[in-house]
Amino acid sequence: MAKFVLAMNVSIDGYVDDIGGNFIMPPPSEAHFDVWTQAVEGYAGSLYGRRMYEVMRYWDEDRPEWDAARQRFAVAWRRLPKWIVSGTLGAVGPNATLISEDIEAQIRALKAGTDGTISVTGPQLAGLVTQLGLIDEYHLHVRPFVLGGGKPFFHDARPPLRLVSNTQIDDDTVCLVYAPKP
């Protein structure tokens, strides 16, 4: 059975993007970027909401301005199986499967039939998977920005959580790991 992990950058006031739907936080530091790369290298796959998947498609094609760290991330991201939940997309890119019908059943089957860690990414999808009680851990990469509104990391009420760990990533960023209380 897969372990579902919701991991995203989040502002100190709890938002993952601003009111206009833009991901306006500056890029992560090199140390933080390396943490993300190591995480992706360890995932068995990624479950994306449509919008986040479209943002991440940036990594589908090599870019001449990339340094070795970005190339390493792209290689790791491309190798991952991806499942995209969307009612509007007609097709998805390489190594990706579209989930557009019977969403709850398909997500449950994915969790039951996969070994390893699957990242759940995108605030709306995360809300659904949280409501289904399927998130095993929440990894909040708290960054020193105040967005003042927008899409929150947590949409609706969530289960009571317990702190599992906290790690300082760089001078400005901390990763807080929570799990639902039993």
Side-chain angles (χ1 to χ4, degrees):
M1 176 176 287
K3 174 181 179 179
F4 275 11
V5 171
L6 169 57
M8 292 183 69
N9 290 326
V10 60
S11 66
I12 59 174
D13 57 345
Y15 295 98
V16 297
D17 66 3
D18 72 356
I19 294 170
N22 305 303
F23 297 95
I24 62 170
M25 286 187 263
S29 69
E30 291 304 312
H32 190 193
F33 191 82
D34 190 51
V35 166
W36 279 119
T37 302
Q38 289 175 29
V40 170
E41 287 173 337
Y43 289 153
S46 289
L47 178 63
Y48 283 101
R50 178 199 53 87
R51 190 157 166 265
M52 185 58 73
Y53 174 67
E54 288 175 337
V55 168
M56 293 302 291
R57 295 273 330 254
Y58 168 83
W59 298 102
D60 272 342
E61 296 181 23
D62 287 332
R63 303 192 188 271
E65 68 273 12
W66 285 353
D67 59 11
R70 271 110 196 111
Q71 291 171 351
R72 179 179 157 208
F73 180 89
V75 167
W77 189 81
R78 289 178 197 153
R79 87 156 172 84
L80 279 181
K82 298 164 206 62
W83 298 271
I84 293 67
V85 175
S86 174
T88 58
L89 285 178
V92 292
N95 209 16
T97 302
L98 182 62
I99 297 175
S100 59
E101 295 180 7
D102 226 3
I103 293 169
E104 180 179 345
Q106 287 194 54
I107 291 173
R108 287 185 185 283
L110 175 63
K111 184 172 178 73
T114 307
D115 290 326
T117 300
I118 294 180
S119 118
V120 177
T121 308
Q124 289 176 304
L125 174 64
L128 170 64
V129 180
T130 296
Q131 287 175 355
L132 296 174
L134 299 176
I135 300 289
D136 298 295
E137 288 184 353
Y138 299 87
H139 295 205
L140 289 77
H141 290 234
V142 182
R143 306 218 28 231
F145 300 98
V146 175
L147 298 180
K151 287 193 178 177
F153 185 91
F154 291 107
H155 270 279
D156 296 317
R158 62 224 157 266
L161 303 174
R162 64 179 172 80
L163 182 65
V164 173
S165 69
N166 61 77
T167 306
Q168 187 166 349
I169 294 173
D170 58 24
D171 291 341
D172 298 322
T173 307
V174 64
C175 178
L176 302 174
V177 176
Y178 289 92
K181 286 185 177 179

